[in-house]
Amino acid sequence: MKLDSASRRRIEVFELRLRIELATIEAYHRVCQPENPLLYINNVTGRLSMVIALAPPEQALEAVGLVRLVRHVYGRASDILHGRSSMLDAPAVIIDEWRSIVERLEALAGVRKAADSN
């Protein structure tokens, strides 16, 4: 089955949203070091603040800005995926920008890439 470009971009939006959730879980575990692992994610936008604690002190303001950007991306991605946005076919340039923001988040949160986990 061949997907049209709009469907592929929606899948990319979904992937970015999942990556944000996984980075949030990783940040939570690194900061709080809970006895039991977090098995599901809730309050993603609230838990994003954990990422700020992972930044070196001299980069704290940059981390705050990054968290604000990620909250925006997460909200817009959710709106697209849940049909609350008129932008159901997100332009590739926006997805590329969102991807770079998520990659910065993953770097700060210490998320390992799939290839790194082997």
Side-chain angles (χ1 to χ4, degrees):
M1 180 171 122
K2 186 173 181 174
L3 295 174
D4 63 7
S5 61
S7 294
R8 278 195 310 276
R9 283 193 295 273
R10 279 192 292 277
I11 291 169
E12 289 179 61
V13 168
F14 180 62
E15 176 194 11
L16 290 173
R17 184 173 167 213
L18 287 176
R19 287 170 61 184
I20 291 169
E21 291 174 357
L22 290 173
T24 303
I25 291 171
E26 183 68 28
Y28 171 77
H29 282 228
R30 289 183 60 204
V31 170
C32 297
Q33 299 177 351
E35 289 183 26
N36 298 315
L38 188 63
L39 299 176
Y40 65 94
I41 189 70
N42 60 0
N43 192 16
V44 172
T45 56
R47 289 184 194 248
L48 272 169
S49 60
M50 298 287 180
V51 173
I52 298 168
L54 296 172
E58 65 275 5
Q59 294 178 353
L61 289 178
E62 183 180 332
V64 169
L66 176 61
V67 166
R68 290 183 70 204
L69 285 172
V70 173
R71 283 181 176 153
H72 173 77
V73 170
Y74 189 80
R76 298 297 67 81
S78 295
D79 289 346
I80 290 170
L81 294 171
H82 293 290
R84 296 185 299 251
S85 172
S86 61
M87 188 175 63
L88 295 178
D89 186 8
V93 68
I94 289 177
I95 293 173
D96 289 343
E97 181 181 359
W98 289 358
R99 185 176 297 109
S100 70
I101 291 167
V102 171
E103 287 169 356
R104 287 174 49 203
L105 171 71
E106 290 172 330
L108 185 56
V111 174
R112 293 183 298 157
K113 303 290 182 223
D116 295 343
S117 62
N118 291 335

